[in-house]
Amino acid sequence: MTPQATPPTGKTALLVMAHPDDAELSSAGTVLNLIEQSYQVRYVVCSTGDKGTKDTAMTPFQLAAIREQEQKEAAAVLGVHQITFLRHPDGELDQSRSLRDEIALLIRNHRPEIIITHDPWRPYQIHPDHRAVGFATADAVVFARDHLFLPVLLELELAPHAPLELYFTFPQVADHVVDISAVMEKKLEAIAKHKSQLQYMPAWRENIKLMGSKLAEGKPFTYAEAFKRLVLTYQ
Ligand SMILES: [Zn+2]
């Protein structure tokens, strides 16, 4: 019998992000809203973030451990249900088949309705990890969906899975604006756990609020997060 892409049955959202802190900075309010709507929210963090410091005494190994702990604490503030750390070196992700295949495997395993990732098509997106993860995740959606891709996954009894929606963070043009006014303080509380990153940004609270209010311009609410949303339809 030919396996078919199965429609999702549970309500799961999977965030596939390059670094510890990307999920909270881009999407913490949306995560809180999804959990409020009874979604299981799970993270995939692709790199250790082990280059994100200006402290010349810090080693990459120390920083990776610090940032993984910060990510766990930030996710716990939001009530995120699970985190998978892929632990690739920071800055060295590329559009590899192996990253795409790792993400495809995790999509089949977690079977999300919604996937949230970086927008790799945003003009002047200079961070290579953000581009790499965005492209790898978009490609992985196809590899997770169609059974003839990655036949080894069938051997592992990971049946094809077709997500319904793909959200890209910080897009050039947003078409899905989420009201996070009621949860802005909780978003700030989660971001505050990323102490190793915030020490260089004393005005981070004001900047996060300013960004949230800009994204809500023209809307009947105070703060927003905004995405490019692809609705994936299947026959
Ligand atoms: Zn990042």
Side-chain angles (χ1 to χ4, degrees), residues 122-185:
R122 192 180 80 175
Y124 315 115
Q125 168 58 268
I126 66 162
H127 201 302
D129 288 345
H130 292 179
R131 288 198 309 271
V133 171
F135 280 125
T137 304
D139 292 353
V141 166
V142 176
F143 278 64
R145 185 190 66 196
D146 297 342
H147 77 279
L148 290 177
F149 289 99
L150 298 174
V152 68
L153 297 185
L154 293 180
E155 295 295 320
L156 297 171
E157 299 187 347
L158 290 168
H161 174 74
L164 297 180
E165 294 177 80
L166 191 49
Y167 296 2
F168 294 105
T169 62
F170 297 128
Q172 180 79 353
V173 179
D175 58 9
H176 183 59
V177 180
V178 178
D179 178 4
I180 64 161
S181 310
V183 293
M184 177 52 101
E185 287 306 315

Short mmCIF file of all heavy atoms in Angstrom, two decimals, residues 122-185:
data_model
loop_
_atom_site.label_atom_id
_atom_site.label_comp_id
_atom_site.label_asym_id
_atom_site.label_seq_id
_atom_site.Cartn_x
_atom_site.Cartn_y
_atom_site.Cartn_z
N ARG A 122 13.73 37.18 2.96
CA ARG A 122 13.74 38.61 3.29
C ARG A 122 14.99 39.24 2.70
O ARG A 122 16.11 38.76 2.92
CB ARG A 122 13.75 38.81 4.81
CG ARG A 122 13.47 40.25 5.20
CD ARG A 122 13.49 40.42 6.69
NE ARG A 122 14.85 40.52 7.20
CZ ARG A 122 15.16 40.77 8.47
NH1 ARG A 122 14.19 40.91 9.35
NH2 ARG A 122 16.40 40.84 8.86
N PRO A 123 14.83 40.33 1.96
CA PRO A 123 16.02 40.96 1.38
C PRO A 123 16.99 41.42 2.46
O PRO A 123 16.57 41.88 3.52
CB PRO A 123 15.45 42.17 0.63
CG PRO A 123 14.01 41.87 0.44
CD PRO A 123 13.59 41.01 1.60
N TYR A 124 18.24 41.25 2.22
CA TYR A 124 19.30 41.72 3.11
C TYR A 124 19.28 41.00 4.45
O TYR A 124 19.64 41.56 5.48
CB TYR A 124 19.27 43.25 3.29
CG TYR A 124 19.08 43.96 1.98
CD1 TYR A 124 17.95 44.70 1.70
CD2 TYR A 124 20.03 43.81 0.96
CE1 TYR A 124 17.77 45.32 0.47
CE2 TYR A 124 19.87 44.42 -0.27
CZ TYR A 124 18.73 45.16 -0.52
OH TYR A 124 18.55 45.75 -1.73
N GLN A 125 18.82 39.76 4.44
CA GLN A 125 18.92 38.91 5.63
C GLN A 125 20.38 38.44 5.69
O GLN A 125 20.76 37.50 4.98
CB GLN A 125 17.96 37.73 5.50
CG GLN A 125 18.15 36.62 6.50
CD GLN A 125 18.03 37.08 7.94
OE1 GLN A 125 19.00 37.45 8.59
NE2 GLN A 125 16.80 37.08 8.42
N ILE A 126 21.19 39.12 6.49
CA ILE A 126 22.63 38.83 6.39
C ILE A 126 23.07 37.69 7.28
O ILE A 126 24.16 37.16 7.09
CB ILE A 126 23.50 40.08 6.67
CG1 ILE A 126 23.35 40.53 8.12
CG2 ILE A 126 23.21 41.19 5.68
CD1 ILE A 126 24.49 41.45 8.53
N HIS A 127 22.27 37.30 8.29
CA HIS A 127 22.77 36.23 9.15
C HIS A 127 22.66 34.88 8.42
O HIS A 127 21.57 34.46 8.08
CB HIS A 127 22.01 36.17 10.47
CG HIS A 127 22.82 35.46 11.52
ND1 HIS A 127 23.28 34.17 11.36
CD2 HIS A 127 23.31 35.87 12.71
CE1 HIS A 127 23.98 33.81 12.42
NE2 HIS A 127 24.02 34.82 13.25
N PRO A 128 23.80 34.24 8.19
CA PRO A 128 23.74 33.00 7.41
C PRO A 128 22.90 31.91 8.06
O PRO A 128 22.25 31.12 7.36
CB PRO A 128 25.22 32.58 7.30
CG PRO A 128 25.92 33.29 8.40
CD PRO A 128 25.17 34.58 8.62
N ASP A 129 22.91 31.86 9.39
CA ASP A 129 22.13 30.81 10.06
C ASP A 129 20.63 31.02 9.85
O ASP A 129 19.87 30.06 9.72
CB ASP A 129 22.42 30.81 11.56
CG ASP A 129 23.79 30.26 11.89
OD1 ASP A 129 24.41 29.63 11.03
OD2 ASP A 129 24.23 30.48 13.04
N HIS A 130 20.18 32.28 9.86
CA HIS A 130 18.75 32.54 9.67
C HIS A 130 18.33 32.14 8.26
O HIS A 130 17.27 31.55 8.06
CB HIS A 130 18.44 34.01 9.94
CG HIS A 130 18.61 34.41 11.37
ND1 HIS A 130 18.40 35.68 11.83
CD2 HIS A 130 19.01 33.69 12.45
CE1 HIS A 130 18.64 35.74 13.13
NE2 HIS A 130 19.02 34.55 13.54
N ARG A 131 19.17 32.48 7.28
CA ARG A 131 18.86 32.06 5.90
C ARG A 131 18.84 30.54 5.80
O ARG A 131 17.92 29.94 5.23
CB ARG A 131 19.91 32.60 4.93
CG ARG A 131 19.86 34.08 4.65
CD ARG A 131 20.64 34.42 3.36
NE ARG A 131 21.98 33.87 3.34
CZ ARG A 131 23.07 34.49 3.82
NH1 ARG A 131 22.96 35.69 4.38
NH2 ARG A 131 24.26 33.93 3.74
N ALA A 132 19.87 29.91 6.35
CA ALA A 132 20.01 28.46 6.21
C ALA A 132 18.83 27.72 6.84
O ALA A 132 18.28 26.78 6.25
CB ALA A 132 21.32 28.00 6.85
N VAL A 133 18.44 28.15 8.04
CA VAL A 133 17.35 27.45 8.73
C VAL A 133 16.02 27.69 8.02
O VAL A 133 15.20 26.78 7.89
CB VAL A 133 17.29 27.87 10.22
CG1 VAL A 133 16.04 27.32 10.90
CG2 VAL A 133 18.54 27.37 10.95
N GLY A 134 15.82 28.92 7.54
CA GLY A 134 14.58 29.20 6.81
C GLY A 134 14.45 28.34 5.56
O GLY A 134 13.40 27.73 5.31
N PHE A 135 15.52 28.31 4.78
CA PHE A 135 15.46 27.49 3.56
C PHE A 135 15.36 26.00 3.88
O PHE A 135 14.57 25.27 3.25
CB PHE A 135 16.71 27.73 2.70
CG PHE A 135 16.64 28.99 1.87
CD1 PHE A 135 17.63 29.96 1.95
CD2 PHE A 135 15.58 29.20 0.99
CE1 PHE A 135 17.56 31.12 1.18
CE2 PHE A 135 15.51 30.36 0.21
CZ PHE A 135 16.51 31.32 0.31
N ALA A 136 16.13 25.54 4.85
CA ALA A 136 16.11 24.11 5.18
C ALA A 136 14.73 23.69 5.67
O ALA A 136 14.24 22.60 5.35
CB ALA A 136 17.17 23.80 6.24
N THR A 137 14.08 24.57 6.43
CA THR A 137 12.75 24.23 6.96
C THR A 137 11.71 24.21 5.85
O THR A 137 10.86 23.31 5.80
CB THR A 137 12.37 25.22 8.07
OG1 THR A 137 13.38 25.19 9.08
CG2 THR A 137 11.03 24.85 8.68
N ALA A 138 11.78 25.20 4.95
CA ALA A 138 10.83 25.20 3.83
C ALA A 138 11.01 23.93 2.99
O ALA A 138 10.03 23.27 2.61
CB ALA A 138 11.04 26.44 2.97
N ASP A 139 12.26 23.58 2.71
CA ASP A 139 12.52 22.36 1.93
C ASP A 139 12.05 21.12 2.71
O ASP A 139 11.51 20.17 2.12
CB ASP A 139 14.02 22.22 1.64
CG ASP A 139 14.53 23.28 0.67
OD1 ASP A 139 13.70 24.04 0.13
OD2 ASP A 139 15.76 23.34 0.47
N ALA A 140 12.27 21.13 4.02
CA ALA A 140 11.93 19.97 4.84
C ALA A 140 10.43 19.70 4.85
O ALA A 140 10.00 18.54 5.00
CB ALA A 140 12.44 20.17 6.26
N VAL A 141 9.63 20.75 4.69
CA VAL A 141 8.18 20.56 4.63
C VAL A 141 7.83 19.61 3.47
O VAL A 141 7.00 18.71 3.61
CB VAL A 141 7.45 21.91 4.48
CG1 VAL A 141 5.98 21.72 4.09
CG2 VAL A 141 7.56 22.71 5.78
N VAL A 142 8.48 19.80 2.33
CA VAL A 142 8.23 18.93 1.17
C VAL A 142 8.74 17.52 1.45
O VAL A 142 8.06 16.53 1.16
CB VAL A 142 8.90 19.52 -0.08
CG1 VAL A 142 8.73 18.58 -1.27
CG2 VAL A 142 8.34 20.90 -0.39
N PHE A 143 9.91 17.44 2.06
CA PHE A 143 10.50 16.12 2.32
C PHE A 143 9.72 15.35 3.39
O PHE A 143 9.72 14.13 3.40
CB PHE A 143 11.97 16.29 2.73
CG PHE A 143 12.89 16.44 1.55
CD1 PHE A 143 12.79 17.53 0.71
CD2 PHE A 143 13.85 15.47 1.27
CE1 PHE A 143 13.62 17.68 -0.39
CE2 PHE A 143 14.69 15.60 0.17
CZ PHE A 143 14.58 16.70 -0.66
N ALA A 144 9.07 16.07 4.30
CA ALA A 144 8.24 15.41 5.31
C ALA A 144 6.90 14.98 4.73
O ALA A 144 6.30 13.99 5.16
CB ALA A 144 8.01 16.36 6.49
N ARG A 145 6.46 15.71 3.70
CA ARG A 145 5.10 15.53 3.18
C ARG A 145 4.95 14.36 2.24
O ARG A 145 3.94 13.65 2.25
CB ARG A 145 4.70 16.82 2.45
CG ARG A 145 3.29 16.88 1.95
CD ARG A 145 3.12 18.08 1.04
NE ARG A 145 3.93 17.96 -0.18
CZ ARG A 145 4.22 18.97 -0.99
NH1 ARG A 145 3.78 20.18 -0.72
NH2 ARG A 145 4.94 18.76 -2.08
N ASP A 146 5.97 14.15 1.39
CA ASP A 146 5.82 13.19 0.27
C ASP A 146 6.62 11.92 0.56
O ASP A 146 7.82 11.98 0.84
CB ASP A 146 6.30 13.84 -1.02
CG ASP A 146 5.45 15.05 -1.40
OD1 ASP A 146 4.32 15.17 -0.87
OD2 ASP A 146 5.91 15.88 -2.20
N HIS A 147 5.97 10.78 0.43
CA HIS A 147 6.54 9.55 0.98
C HIS A 147 7.79 9.06 0.26
O HIS A 147 8.59 8.34 0.84
CB HIS A 147 5.49 8.44 1.00
CG HIS A 147 5.24 7.82 -0.34
ND1 HIS A 147 4.41 8.40 -1.27
CD2 HIS A 147 5.71 6.67 -0.90
CE1 HIS A 147 4.38 7.64 -2.34
NE2 HIS A 147 5.15 6.58 -2.15
N LEU A 148 7.97 9.47 -1.02
CA LEU A 148 9.15 8.97 -1.73
C LEU A 148 10.43 9.72 -1.37
O LEU A 148 11.53 9.29 -1.71
CB LEU A 148 8.92 9.01 -3.25
CG LEU A 148 7.89 7.98 -3.75
CD1 LEU A 148 7.67 8.12 -5.24
CD2 LEU A 148 8.32 6.54 -3.42
N PHE A 149 10.29 10.85 -0.67
CA PHE A 149 11.48 11.51 -0.14
C PHE A 149 11.94 10.78 1.12
O PHE A 149 11.12 10.35 1.93
CB PHE A 149 11.16 12.97 0.24
CG PHE A 149 10.93 13.88 -0.94
CD1 PHE A 149 9.65 14.19 -1.36
CD2 PHE A 149 12.00 14.42 -1.64
CE1 PHE A 149 9.43 15.03 -2.43
CE2 PHE A 149 11.80 15.27 -2.72
CZ PHE A 149 10.51 15.57 -3.12
N LEU A 150 13.23 10.65 1.28
CA LEU A 150 13.82 10.08 2.50
C LEU A 150 13.17 8.75 2.88
O LEU A 150 12.57 8.63 3.96
CB LEU A 150 13.72 11.06 3.67
CG LEU A 150 14.46 12.40 3.48
CD1 LEU A 150 14.17 13.33 4.65
CD2 LEU A 150 15.96 12.17 3.33
N PRO A 151 13.25 7.74 2.01
CA PRO A 151 12.58 6.47 2.31
C PRO A 151 13.02 5.84 3.62
O PRO A 151 12.26 5.04 4.21
CB PRO A 151 12.92 5.59 1.11
CG PRO A 151 14.03 6.28 0.39
CD PRO A 151 13.92 7.73 0.71
N VAL A 152 14.19 6.20 4.11
CA VAL A 152 14.63 5.65 5.40
C VAL A 152 13.64 6.02 6.51
O VAL A 152 13.51 5.29 7.50
CB VAL A 152 16.06 6.15 5.74
CG1 VAL A 152 16.09 7.64 6.03
CG2 VAL A 152 16.63 5.38 6.93
N LEU A 153 12.94 7.13 6.36
CA LEU A 153 12.00 7.53 7.42
C LEU A 153 10.84 6.55 7.53
O LEU A 153 10.29 6.35 8.62
CB LEU A 153 11.49 8.95 7.17
CG LEU A 153 12.55 10.06 7.22
CD1 LEU A 153 11.90 11.44 7.08
CD2 LEU A 153 13.37 9.98 8.50
N LEU A 154 10.47 5.93 6.40
CA LEU A 154 9.42 4.90 6.48
C LEU A 154 9.93 3.68 7.23
O LEU A 154 9.17 3.02 7.96
CB LEU A 154 8.96 4.51 5.07
CG LEU A 154 8.23 5.60 4.29
CD1 LEU A 154 7.83 5.07 2.91
CD2 LEU A 154 7.01 6.10 5.03
N GLU A 155 11.23 3.38 7.04
CA GLU A 155 11.81 2.27 7.80
C GLU A 155 11.74 2.53 9.30
O GLU A 155 11.66 1.62 10.11
CB GLU A 155 13.27 2.05 7.38
CG GLU A 155 13.46 1.60 5.95
CD GLU A 155 12.85 0.23 5.70
OE1 GLU A 155 12.99 -0.63 6.59
OE2 GLU A 155 12.22 0.03 4.66
N LEU A 156 11.80 3.81 9.65
CA LEU A 156 11.71 4.20 11.07
C LEU A 156 10.25 4.40 11.50
O LEU A 156 10.00 4.90 12.60
CB LEU A 156 12.51 5.50 11.31
CG LEU A 156 14.01 5.40 11.04
CD1 LEU A 156 14.66 6.79 11.09
CD2 LEU A 156 14.69 4.48 12.03
N GLU A 157 9.32 4.07 10.61
CA GLU A 157 7.88 4.19 10.86
C GLU A 157 7.48 5.65 11.10
O GLU A 157 6.58 5.94 11.89
CB GLU A 157 7.45 3.29 12.02
CG GLU A 157 7.73 1.82 11.71
CD GLU A 157 7.17 0.88 12.74
OE1 GLU A 157 6.77 1.34 13.82
OE2 GLU A 157 7.13 -0.33 12.45
N LEU A 158 8.18 6.56 10.42
CA LEU A 158 7.80 7.96 10.45
C LEU A 158 7.03 8.25 9.16
O LEU A 158 7.61 8.52 8.11
CB LEU A 158 9.03 8.85 10.57
CG LEU A 158 9.73 8.79 11.94
CD1 LEU A 158 11.09 9.46 11.89
CD2 LEU A 158 8.86 9.41 13.03
N ALA A 159 5.72 8.16 9.24
CA ALA A 159 4.86 8.31 8.07
C ALA A 159 4.89 9.76 7.58
O ALA A 159 5.17 10.68 8.36
CB ALA A 159 3.44 7.91 8.42
N PRO A 160 4.61 9.97 6.31
CA PRO A 160 4.55 11.34 5.79
C PRO A 160 3.59 12.21 6.61
O PRO A 160 2.60 11.72 7.17
CB PRO A 160 4.04 11.16 4.36
CG PRO A 160 4.43 9.78 4.00
CD PRO A 160 4.34 8.98 5.27
N HIS A 161 3.91 13.48 6.65
CA HIS A 161 3.08 14.41 7.39
C HIS A 161 3.05 15.75 6.67
O HIS A 161 4.09 16.27 6.27
CB HIS A 161 3.61 14.63 8.81
CG HIS A 161 2.84 15.68 9.53
ND1 HIS A 161 1.56 15.47 10.01
CD2 HIS A 161 3.14 16.98 9.81
CE1 HIS A 161 1.12 16.59 10.57
NE2 HIS A 161 2.05 17.52 10.46
N ALA A 162 1.85 16.31 6.53
CA ALA A 162 1.68 17.57 5.82
C ALA A 162 1.23 18.67 6.78
O ALA A 162 0.07 18.69 7.19
CB ALA A 162 0.65 17.39 4.71
N PRO A 163 2.11 19.57 7.16
CA PRO A 163 1.69 20.73 7.98
C PRO A 163 0.69 21.58 7.20
O PRO A 163 0.69 21.59 5.96
CB PRO A 163 2.99 21.50 8.22
CG PRO A 163 4.08 20.53 7.92
CD PRO A 163 3.54 19.60 6.87
N LEU A 164 -0.14 22.33 7.93
CA LEU A 164 -1.16 23.15 7.29
C LEU A 164 -0.71 24.59 7.04
O LEU A 164 -1.16 25.23 6.11
CB LEU A 164 -2.43 23.17 8.15
CG LEU A 164 -3.13 21.83 8.36
CD1 LEU A 164 -4.36 22.02 9.22
CD2 LEU A 164 -3.49 21.20 7.02
N GLU A 165 0.15 25.10 7.93
CA GLU A 165 0.54 26.50 7.82
C GLU A 165 2.02 26.66 8.14
O GLU A 165 2.55 25.97 9.03
CB GLU A 165 -0.25 27.36 8.81
CG GLU A 165 -1.73 27.44 8.53
CD GLU A 165 -2.44 28.25 9.59
OE1 GLU A 165 -2.40 29.49 9.51
OE2 GLU A 165 -3.02 27.66 10.51
N LEU A 166 2.64 27.58 7.43
CA LEU A 166 4.05 27.89 7.64
C LEU A 166 4.14 29.40 7.88
O LEU A 166 3.70 30.19 7.03
CB LEU A 166 4.80 27.47 6.38
CG LEU A 166 6.31 27.42 6.32
CD1 LEU A 166 6.92 26.68 7.49
CD2 LEU A 166 6.74 26.75 5.01
N TYR A 167 4.67 29.79 9.04
CA TYR A 167 4.82 31.21 9.37
C TYR A 167 6.31 31.56 9.27
O TYR A 167 7.14 30.88 9.88
CB TYR A 167 4.41 31.52 10.80
CG TYR A 167 2.97 31.33 11.20
CD1 TYR A 167 2.01 30.84 10.34
CD2 TYR A 167 2.57 31.67 12.50
CE1 TYR A 167 0.69 30.67 10.77
CE2 TYR A 167 1.27 31.51 12.93
CZ TYR A 167 0.34 30.99 12.05
OH TYR A 167 -0.95 30.83 12.48
N PHE A 168 6.62 32.65 8.58
CA PHE A 168 8.00 33.14 8.51
C PHE A 168 8.12 34.39 9.37
O PHE A 168 7.33 35.33 9.21
CB PHE A 168 8.38 33.45 7.06
CG PHE A 168 8.42 32.23 6.17
CD1 PHE A 168 7.42 31.97 5.26
CD2 PHE A 168 9.48 31.33 6.26
CE1 PHE A 168 7.45 30.85 4.44
CE2 PHE A 168 9.53 30.20 5.45
CZ PHE A 168 8.52 29.96 4.54
N THR A 169 9.14 34.39 10.24
CA THR A 169 9.31 35.51 11.17
C THR A 169 10.03 36.69 10.51
O THR A 169 10.83 36.51 9.60
CB THR A 169 10.10 35.07 12.40
OG1 THR A 169 11.41 34.65 12.00
CG2 THR A 169 9.43 33.93 13.13
N PHE A 170 9.76 37.87 11.03
CA PHE A 170 10.38 39.12 10.58
C PHE A 170 10.42 39.21 9.05
O PHE A 170 11.49 39.42 8.45
CB PHE A 170 11.80 39.25 11.15
CG PHE A 170 11.85 39.34 12.65
CD1 PHE A 170 12.66 38.50 13.39
CD2 PHE A 170 11.07 40.28 13.31
CE1 PHE A 170 12.70 38.59 14.79
CE2 PHE A 170 11.11 40.38 14.71
CZ PHE A 170 11.93 39.53 15.43
N PRO A 171 9.27 39.07 8.39
CA PRO A 171 9.27 39.14 6.92
C PRO A 171 9.35 40.57 6.42
O PRO A 171 9.08 41.52 7.17
CB PRO A 171 7.91 38.54 6.56
CG PRO A 171 7.04 38.97 7.69
CD PRO A 171 7.91 38.94 8.93
N GLN A 172 9.68 40.72 5.17
CA GLN A 172 9.66 42.04 4.54
C GLN A 172 8.23 42.57 4.50
O GLN A 172 7.98 43.73 4.81
CB GLN A 172 10.21 41.93 3.11
CG GLN A 172 10.24 43.24 2.36
CD GLN A 172 11.42 44.11 2.78
OE1 GLN A 172 12.13 43.79 3.71
NE2 GLN A 172 11.61 45.22 2.09
N VAL A 173 7.30 41.72 4.12
CA VAL A 173 5.89 42.10 4.06
C VAL A 173 5.09 41.06 4.86
O VAL A 173 5.06 39.89 4.49
CB VAL A 173 5.36 42.15 2.61
CG1 VAL A 173 3.88 42.53 2.60
CG2 VAL A 173 6.18 43.13 1.78
N ALA A 174 4.47 41.52 5.94
CA ALA A 174 3.71 40.61 6.80
C ALA A 174 2.26 40.54 6.32
O ALA A 174 1.69 41.55 5.90
CB ALA A 174 3.76 41.08 8.24
N ASP A 175 1.68 39.35 6.39
CA ASP A 175 0.26 39.22 6.09
C ASP A 175 -0.50 38.52 7.21
O ASP A 175 -1.66 38.18 7.07
CB ASP A 175 0.03 38.52 4.75
CG ASP A 175 0.66 37.13 4.70
OD1 ASP A 175 1.11 36.64 5.75
OD2 ASP A 175 0.69 36.54 3.60
N HIS A 176 0.19 38.29 8.34
CA HIS A 176 -0.47 37.67 9.48
C HIS A 176 0.03 38.38 10.75
O HIS A 176 1.17 38.20 11.16
CB HIS A 176 -0.13 36.17 9.53
CG HIS A 176 -0.81 35.42 10.64
ND1 HIS A 176 -2.18 35.36 10.77
CD2 HIS A 176 -0.30 34.71 11.67
CE1 HIS A 176 -2.49 34.64 11.84
NE2 HIS A 176 -1.36 34.23 12.41
N VAL A 177 -0.82 39.26 11.28
CA VAL A 177 -0.44 40.09 12.42
C VAL A 177 -1.18 39.57 13.65
O VAL A 177 -2.40 39.44 13.64
CB VAL A 177 -0.79 41.57 12.15
CG1 VAL A 177 -0.39 42.43 13.34
CG2 VAL A 177 -0.08 42.05 10.88
N VAL A 178 -0.40 39.23 14.68
CA VAL A 178 -0.96 38.59 15.87
C VAL A 178 -0.96 39.59 17.02
O VAL A 178 0.06 40.21 17.33
CB VAL A 178 -0.09 37.37 16.26
CG1 VAL A 178 -0.62 36.72 17.54
CG2 VAL A 178 -0.05 36.36 15.11
N ASP A 179 -2.12 39.75 17.65
CA ASP A 179 -2.26 40.65 18.80
C ASP A 179 -1.59 40.01 20.02
O ASP A 179 -2.03 38.96 20.49
CB ASP A 179 -3.76 40.88 19.07
CG ASP A 179 -4.00 41.76 20.29
OD1 ASP A 179 -3.03 42.28 20.88
OD2 ASP A 179 -5.19 41.94 20.64
N ILE A 180 -0.51 40.64 20.49
CA ILE A 180 0.16 40.10 21.68
C ILE A 180 0.10 41.08 22.85
O ILE A 180 0.87 40.96 23.81
CB ILE A 180 1.64 39.72 21.38
CG1 ILE A 180 2.47 40.95 20.99
CG2 ILE A 180 1.70 38.66 20.28
CD1 ILE A 180 3.97 40.73 21.14
N SER A 181 -0.84 42.04 22.77
CA SER A 181 -0.91 43.09 23.80
C SER A 181 -1.05 42.50 25.20
O SER A 181 -0.40 42.94 26.14
CB SER A 181 -2.09 44.02 23.51
OG SER A 181 -2.06 44.45 22.17
N ALA A 182 -1.89 41.48 25.32
CA ALA A 182 -2.18 40.92 26.65
C ALA A 182 -1.01 40.13 27.22
O ALA A 182 -0.98 39.86 28.42
CB ALA A 182 -3.43 40.03 26.57
N VAL A 183 -0.08 39.75 26.35
CA VAL A 183 1.02 38.88 26.81
C VAL A 183 2.39 39.52 26.64
O VAL A 183 3.41 38.84 26.78
CB VAL A 183 0.97 37.50 26.09
CG1 VAL A 183 -0.27 36.72 26.50
CG2 VAL A 183 1.04 37.66 24.58
N MET A 184 2.41 40.84 26.35
CA MET A 184 3.71 41.49 26.16
C MET A 184 4.60 41.37 27.38
O MET A 184 5.81 41.12 27.28
CB MET A 184 3.51 42.96 25.78
CG MET A 184 4.80 43.74 25.62
SD MET A 184 6.02 42.98 24.51
CE MET A 184 5.81 43.93 23.01
N GLU A 185 4.04 41.53 28.58
CA GLU A 185 4.86 41.45 29.79
C GLU A 185 5.46 40.05 29.94
O GLU A 185 6.62 39.90 30.36
CB GLU A 185 4.04 41.83 31.03
CG GLU A 185 3.74 43.32 31.12
CD GLU A 185 5.01 44.19 31.04
OE1 GLU A 185 6.02 43.86 31.71
OE2 GLU A 185 4.99 45.20 30.30
#
